[in-house]
Amino acid sequence: QVQLVESGGGVVQAGGSLRLSCAASGRSFSSYAMAWFREPPGKDRRLVAAIHWADGRTHYTDSVKGRFTISGDNTKNTVYLQMNSLKPEDTAVYYCAADSTGAREYNYWGQGTLVTVSS
């Protein structure tokens, strides 16, 4: 089995920073991409940032561009999300995900880590 485990969440004051980490355990696998999603209270889970391993291409949702940075190591199936200049609207449960299908399907998920940004 494959397990993804997020860490680094917590409570931070607006304007502060957090660094989220995601590590895989269990059986080995190769991912084409890994990503971070977030689920604010009462809202749908949406993509925040993604990294495509083949060329290192990254994607960010507009609301976090310039503030968040995704990075990782595909050989270890690890991914990080550096979050700076945090805003209250960034409050959400953050999930890491991996695509091992090559079909843009995120088939492995972590259980989430809560980020709370106080105003």
Side-chain angles (χ1 to χ4, degrees):
Q1 300 296 314
V2 171
Q3 296 88 40
L4 300 180
V5 181
E6 304 97 336
S7 62
V11 180
V12 65
Q13 190 174 2
S17 298
L18 283 174
R19 183 176 175 86
L20 305 183
S21 300
C22 175
S25 63
R27 71 172 179 85
S28 298
F29 74 102
S30 296
S31 63
Y32 290 86
M34 293 188 73
W36 289 94
F37 291 73
R38 68 185 181 187
E39 184 176 319
K43 297 183 179 180
D44 294 334
R45 189 177 302 181
R46 298 292 179 88
L47 180 70
V48 177
I51 183 165
H52 187 267
W53 297 125
D55 55 7
R57 188 188 316 126
T58 58
H59 165 81
Y60 301 92
T61 193
D62 286 344
S63 63
V64 308
K65 287 181 179 177
R67 300 189 297 122
F68 290 11
T69 303
I70 187 171
S71 62
D73 184 345
N74 66 300
T75 67
K76 300 179 180 179
N77 287 312
T78 59
V79 67
Y80 307 96
L81 186 68
Q82 178 66 45
M83 305 185 294
N84 299 324
S85 301
L86 283 161
K87 304 174 180 179
E89 51 262 44
D90 295 319
T91 294
V93 177
Y94 284 71
Y95 299 86
C96 68
D99 171 17
S100 69
T101 73
R104 297 184 179 182
E105 178 182 336
Y106 290 98
N107 55 317
Y108 296 130
W109 293 83
Q111 64 180 256
T113 186
L114 178 63
V115 172
T116 302
V117 184
S118 61
S119 60

